[in-house]
Amino acid sequence: MSRSVLQLREVSFHYEGERDEEKLSIFHTLNLSINNGEFISIVGPSGSGKSTLFRLITGLEQPAGGDILLNGEIRKDRLGSVGYMPQQDLLMPWRSILDNAALPLELKGIKKAMAHKQVMELLEEFGLKGSEYRYPSELSGGMKQRVSFMRTVLSGSNLMILDEPFSALDAITRMAMQEWLLEQWEKRKKTILFITHDVNEALFLSDRVFVFSEIPVRTLQEVKVPLERPRNLRDLNNPDVIKLKDHLIDQLRVKVKP
Ligand code: ADP
Ligand code: MG
């Protein structure tokens, strides 16, 4: 198997406007490569194109130019082959937790009883045991995001792409979810592409961090995070990490207009 799980080659993308001059260019010949098992974050300010990148990789949008490769192959039909977790949990309010989590399995044609069995086996680990017959409106924000992540895991893909999954959570739940996500990643050996506007979150979680620092995005600034694993949130106080954080914030400021 190819070492590269995801590759963007000279990818360009714009949104159409009513007139030509209203075209909104988001990416211009952008390159990016992510290896098997890496935890990568992409940081950019609001409106810089993070969710657009998410939609391009998952196949909800197609690039105007360039190629997107999954596991070394150019793939135009990416829908369904990348596990993803969107910004909002997108749980179906009329389905129980069990039925929500089983959805990707049912879509693959797995019988309901078998799908439920697979979900039941994961409930404990996802901190959802006893909640399987409850409905999304009865769960806390952190629980909903764990259901959403369970669904991503059950999709079975080796690449998971998460678009600001914790941005709606309160600070304490968010920290707990970050630590929990790292445990999950270390155990499952998947590749994660994590999209966020939070520099601290990116540094805590990732092997490498890429920054969107211009519009349209032409190149990504890359930093390697100099921390061992397993990590602790206190590691963010390491002087090298603080320096990196300042550097990243400076990169982001290039574009942010208050
Ligand atoms: P982010 O996720 O980083 O906040 P987005 O990728 O959602 O940014 O948006 C990037 C830019 O593209 C923004 O200026 C946004 O207004 C614009 N945009 C997003 N979706 C559409 C769309 N469907 N049609 C036109 N413009 C869009
Ligand atoms: Mg977004």
Side-chain angles (χ1 to χ4, degrees):
M1 204 179 87
S2 156
R3 222 173 103 64
S4 168
V5 174
L6 171 71
Q7 222 181 330
L8 269 63
R9 280 194 197 149
E10 311 267 303
V11 166
S12 297
F13 180 83
H14 58 259
Y15 288 110
E16 301 292 343
E18 296 275 295
R19 287 167 304 173
D20 251 12
E21 57 272 29
E22 287 169 4
K23 261 201 209 167
L24 179 61
S25 179
I26 309 283
F27 301 115
H28 189 81
T29 61
L30 180 68
N31 292 300
L32 172 72
S33 180
I34 295 178
N35 295 324
N36 202 11
E38 281 192 295
F39 198 125
I40 301 289
S41 287
I42 295 215
V43 190
S46 168
S48 58
K50 299 186 297 299
S51 294
T52 305
L53 182 71
F54 173 88
R55 288 199 296 276
L56 280 166
I57 296 170
T58 53
L60 294 168
E61 302 274 5
Q62 291 296 341
D67 292 308
I68 298 178
L69 290 80
L70 296 178
N71 302 310
E73 286 173 34
I74 294 181
R75 290 279 303 273
K76 302 226 183 281
D77 58 326
R78 294 179 298 285
L79 271 177
S81 46
V82 178
Y84 68 91
M85 180 165 167
Q87 227 162 328
Q88 288 87 25
D89 60 56
L90 294 190
L91 298 177
M92 296 176 174
W94 61 89
R95 279 190 157 223
S96 67
I97 296 320
L98 183 58
D99 285 330
N100 262 296
L103 198 60
L105 298 173
E106 285 178 43
L107 290 176
K108 274 197 225 160
I110 294 172
K111 292 244 157 52
K112 198 165 186 158
M114 183 44 108
H116 280 184
K117 186 167 170 284
Q118 288 191 37
V119 172
M120 290 302 236
E121 283 165 5
L122 287 179
L123 284 171
E124 175 114 49
E125 207 185 313
F126 281 72
L128 295 163
K129 200 159 180 80
S131 299
E132 56 270 34
Y133 299 111
R134 294 165 80 187
Y135 287 83
S137 63
E138 302 173 78
L139 301 191
S140 69
M143 287 168 98
K144 278 194 268 198
Q145 287 305 66
R146 286 199 297 273
V147 179
S148 186
F149 186 66
M150 190 193 294
R151 210 163 49 175
T152 312
V153 167
L154 286 169
S155 75
S157 167
N158 62 339
L159 172 65
M160 299 198 281
I161 164 164
L162 282 53
D163 187 7
E164 305 206 46
F166 306 148
S167 56
L169 303 177
D170 65 85
I172 293 171
T173 307
R174 185 175 184 154
M175 284 191 275
M177 288 294 290
Q178 289 166 352
E179 287 176 333
W180 180 82
L181 178 64
L182 276 189
E183 279 168 30
Q184 288 291 321
W185 170 72
E186 273 158 22
K187 190 157 126 196
R188 297 181 186 281
K189 311 268 178 252
K190 303 262 189 184
T191 309
I192 294 186
L193 178 58
F194 190 97
I195 295 176
T196 181
H197 60 260
D198 181 335
V199 170
N200 271 325
E201 181 169 69
L203 287 170
F204 175 58
L205 294 172
S206 317
D207 298 315
R208 294 188 286 154
V209 179
F210 291 101
V211 195
F212 282 3
S213 54
E214 55 183 351
I215 283 186
V217 182
R218 287 163 199 271
T219 51
L220 294 171
Q221 304 282 331
E222 176 191 338
V223 302
K224 272 201 164 58
V225 181
L227 290 175
E228 305 280 312
R229 297 187 187 270
R231 295 180 185 172
N232 180 296
L233 278 163
R234 292 208 179 88
D235 293 337
L236 291 175
N237 301 332
N238 171 315
D240 288 341
V241 176
I242 292 175
K243 242 184 251 162
L244 266 184
K245 181 172 133 185
D246 290 342
H247 171 71
L248 289 175
I249 290 171
D250 286 344
Q251 297 290 320
L252 292 172
R253 277 214 192 103
V254 173
K255 237 202 51 211
V256 190
K257 292 178 208 88

